[in-house]
Amino acid sequence: MHASHAIHLPERSPLWKVFWLYGVLPSNLLWLAVAWLVDHNQLPGATLGLLAFLLGYTAWIVAAVWKAAPNAKDPRYGVMAQALTVAWAINTVLIAFFLGLQMVRALVGG
């Protein structure tokens, strides 16, 4: 199995890699892009698209962390990673929903 397949098979990847490199880093970069677009009132349609992508990505990373959790050396880290990822996902869904409403309003012309 090649390393390039690890992203598709998180259950075979180390938890730290899935959590930090596939989860925390990309999620924060995506939110940084959303924040910049919202702050500069730029491209509400692109912002909506990015929010939709972020929601799909968030669903994927929750499943990936869940599958990789048993790979942690200490089982407590697996449980913490799962809990933190679920909390992050809830936060993402709520913020994406309210920002999405704002973007739709901007697109409709309100």
Side-chain angles (χ1 to χ4, degrees), residues 11-30:
E11 61 272 8
R12 295 185 184 196
S13 298
L15 176 61
W16 72 266
K17 185 181 279 187
V18 173
F19 184 81
W20 291 105
L21 299 182
Y22 302 160
V24 173
L25 185 62
S27 293
N28 279 297
L29 291 174
L30 287 167

Side-chain angles (χ1 to χ4, degrees), residues 13-88:
S13 298
L15 176 61
W16 72 266
K17 185 181 279 187
V18 173
F19 184 81
W20 291 105
L21 299 182
Y22 302 160
V24 173
L25 185 62
S27 293
N28 279 297
L29 291 174
L30 287 167
W31 273 118
L32 184 63
V34 169
W36 187 89
L37 288 170
V38 170
D39 189 46
H40 291 87
N41 290 326
Q42 297 292 316
L43 307 168
T47 306
L48 274 175
L50 192 55
L51 287 172
F53 176 79
L54 188 58
L55 288 173
Y57 172 78
T58 299
W60 177 82
I61 199 61
V62 167
V65 167
W66 217 267
K67 290 175 183 176
N71 299 340
K73 291 180 183 177
D74 184 338
R76 293 176 293 183
Y77 291 138
V79 172
M80 285 190 290
Q82 289 171 329
L84 288 168
T85 304
V86 167
W88 182 269

